[in-house]
Structure formats: C-alpha cells, structure tokens
Amino acid sequence: MIGAFIKKELKRMSKERGMFFFLIILPILFIVMFSTILGNQNYTFQIHYIDQDHSALSKDFIHHLSPSKTFELVKESDEKEVLAQIKKGKDTNLLIIDKGFESSIKSGQSPILHFYYDKNQSSAQEVAPIKTLVENIINGYNQAKIQTFVQSHSKNVTEAHSVLSPSIDLKSKAVSVKKVNAITSIVPGYTVMFVFFILMSMARTFIRERDSGMLARLYATSITRFQYTFGMWIPCVIVVLIQIAVLLGFGYFAYHLSLGNIPSLIVLSFILTLAVTTLGLVISFYTKSEQMAIGLTQIITMGGAALGGLWVPLDIMPKSIQTIAHFLPQYWAQTGFVNIMTRGANLADILPTLYYLIGFSIICFILALVGFKNFFKGATN
C-alpha cells in the first residue's frame, strides 16, 4: 500500500514543471547570478590625496599608501571640491599632507595630516581599511623616530635592542583547510534556502486531496493514518535529496566547489531533508486553505533565509538577529554545510547542527501526527 502511494506521488511530482522550476532551475539561476557578481570580485579602495608639501618625504609617504593593487591612489588638487563630493556621498575620503611635512620631521616635530572621511555607515567598510593603512604608516614613522632616538642616546647596543624590541610579539597564521570565497557561501546558502520551497508543493498536494474528497475516499478503505502520511511524505524526501545533490553537484562542476567530507555531507543533507519535509507536514495539516499555506511558506522561506544568514553574513547583523538565528533550521543547516566545505568538518564536528535538526524533525513529526486528525475532519466527503 505504501509503495503504491510512493509510486503515485513520484509520478505526479515528475509531471509538475512548476515545482521543477522552483526547486532546480530557479536556485541554479540565483547561484549563477550571485556567483558572477561576487564570486571573483576584486575589491579596490580609492585613496584621494593632496600633497601640499611636494617634498621627498611626502612623496615617500604617498608611496607607502599603495602597498598593493587593493589600494588605488587618486591625486586631487581642489580641497573644497573633494570635501563637497564627500558630503554628497560621491567620494569617501581625502588625505591632505600639509606644507612643511618634511621640515617638521627633520626638526623632530610632529607634522599634522588631515584625513577627512564619510562617516555614513554605508561607507564604513570602504573607509576603515584606508584609515587603518594610514595609521599603520604613521606608526612606522613613529617607530623609526623612537629607534633613532634610542640608538643615538645609548652606547650599549644590547640595551638599545632590548628597548626597541616589542614587549609582545604576535605571530599570526591563517588556518583554513579549504579555499574560502564567495562561492563557498553562495552555493550552500541558496541550496538551504530553496529546499524549503518543497513546503509549498507539499501543502498544495495535501490540501487539494483533502478538499477534493480524495482523502475521504482513501480513508474509507483499509489504509491507516500512518500509511497515508508515510506514503505521501517519502516522495518529498526523495525529491529534496535529489534537489540538494543537483545544486551541490552544480557548484562542484561549475565552480569547483570543495565538498569536503562526503559522508558528513550526505548525513547532513538527509537530516536537513527530514527537518524540511516534516515541517511541510505540519504546515499541510494545520493550515485551513491553500492560500494560507503558500503565504506561510513564503514567510518561512524568505524570512528564514534573511534571519538565518543565508543572504547576509550573520556577523554584521544586530545581536538580536544573531540570537534569533540560533532558533532557525536555516542557520544550523548553513553552518553545517559551510563547516564541512571550508573547514573540513566531519560528523563529530557538526554534531550540534545534527542534534538541532533531528530534534526539530521529531517535534514536527509529532505535531504532524497530532494534527492529522483535525486535518481529516476537514476532508470533503
């Protein structure tokens, strides 16, 4: 009996072109679009400057402002014009080296640099690296000044070296198992987001069977509540597993996405599928109409993607949103996939994610079984 239901549902779902578009084609289009925009993007920060000193030391300072291609120097001549552009939001910064820069340094005085910048929050990410670069260069000049003073006033070379040595030496080393770029976030992010679109298909199918009288006729036979629910649920599980495999496979072949530990990836994909499809059962059994189910599905899909960190990195979001994210399955699924793909995580490393999704699945399945009784009462005879 269950096998017949599974076969019937798989055959029906294979004919739904709309579902195929939402579950496969649309997420691939999103992945391609955002990967094209962000995948290989090189960030360049423009540093606008005016050199009023035109000396050898001022030119040397300017030279240090462009340590790599990341920073692009833009020479300006009209201070008032640039400041006006900053106020309008068209430029973000202006560094002015005053006249007398070189003479002040040679005489032991401290020359003043004027750094104007747009304090608007939208420009903060562009201004911060430039400001940090300027401060680092200034620190280098200050360190050179201290070194010259100590060496000229100390006859003991060992003592001078001890004074100049930092009290704490920080040795930084980046640790990453896999290559990390925008693709490693985009592909799993949109995969997690679009697997929740199965909720819409599940709700539509169950509600239509209830309202058309099909459910009442089926229940008049020897079929049990468990057989019906299980027979309708398993095809959705199969479809979502295929969807995840296709989307991650597309990322692997099209963008050379590292999949990491494959057994862990398979387990996480299966548990995520159970969480999503059991949630689909809950929505199907508790909503009164197809329109209500579709609306609720859109809220869960889009709202969960926004709050769960699938669209915007969670680190830059308010603390309240970060707290809310920990209650959402989208957050845990995304975290699990990213850890597997970028940090080489195995099953032991993603246990918190698996525990949450398993618990979520159990709760949803219990709610679905409880709600099926009222769902059947609404069936048309």
Side-chain angles (χ1 to χ4, degrees), residues 140-305:
Y141 275 81
N142 292 338
Q143 184 67 24
K145 182 179 180 180
I146 295 172
Q147 182 176 354
T148 301
F149 176 82
V150 172
Q151 290 178 345
S152 63
H153 288 76
S154 178
K155 297 180 180 180
N156 190 325
V157 178
T158 304
E159 181 183 3
H161 179 74
S162 177
V163 172
L164 293 171
S165 298
S167 57
I168 300 175
D169 188 12
L170 176 64
K171 294 183 178 180
S172 301
K173 184 178 180 181
V175 179
S176 180
V177 178
K178 303 294 181 181
K179 182 179 179 181
V180 179
N181 52 34
I183 304 298
T184 58
S185 178
I186 291 172
V187 174
Y190 282 109
T191 298
V192 172
M193 172 182 166
F194 279 96
V195 297
F196 280 83
F197 273 85
I198 195 66
L199 302 179
M200 190 180 301
S201 177
M202 292 180 68
R204 183 186 294 115
T205 301
F206 277 104
I207 292 174
R208 286 181 178 178
E209 288 214 345
R210 180 196 65 188
D211 295 343
S212 66
M214 178 63 71
L215 177 60
R217 291 193 294 271
L218 287 172
Y219 212 64
T221 65
S222 60
I223 188 172
T224 65
R225 182 188 310 178
F226 175 80
Q227 289 175 328
Y228 174 79
T229 304
F230 199 78
M232 297 287 286
W233 174 42
I234 292 302
C236 298
V237 172
I238 295 173
V239 168
V240 174
L241 287 174
I242 293 174
Q243 179 191 15
I244 295 175
V246 170
L247 296 181
L248 295 183
F250 177 79
Y252 175 79
F253 289 107
Y255 297 103
H256 307 290
L257 174 69
S258 175
L259 298 179
N261 187 289
I262 299 300
S264 301
L265 197 68
I266 294 173
V267 172
L268 177 57
S269 299
F270 181 72
I271 300 301
L272 172 62
T273 300
L274 295 182
V276 174
T277 52
T278 51
L279 177 60
L281 294 176
V282 173
I283 294 175
S284 301
F285 295 163
Y286 283 89
T287 50
K288 300 298 182 181
S289 65
E290 185 176 333
Q291 290 75 17
M292 183 184 296
I294 292 175
L296 184 59
T297 297
Q298 291 174 341
I299 293 174
I300 293 173
T301 302
M302 300 302 179

Side-chain angles (χ1 to χ4, degrees), residues 11 43 46 53 70 91 97 153 159 168 200 209 218 224 230 235 241 249 271 273 304 316 320 355 361-362 372 374 381:
K11 186 176 181 180
Y43 294 96
Q46 288 190 341
D53 195 48
T70 303
D91 287 332
I97 302 177
H153 288 76
E159 181 183 3
I168 300 175
M200 190 180 301
E209 288 214 345
L218 287 172
T224 65
F230 199 78
L241 287 174
I271 300 301
T273 300
I316 66 174
S320 58
Y355 288 153
S361 303
I362 293 173
F372 182 81
N374 289 330
N381 291 313

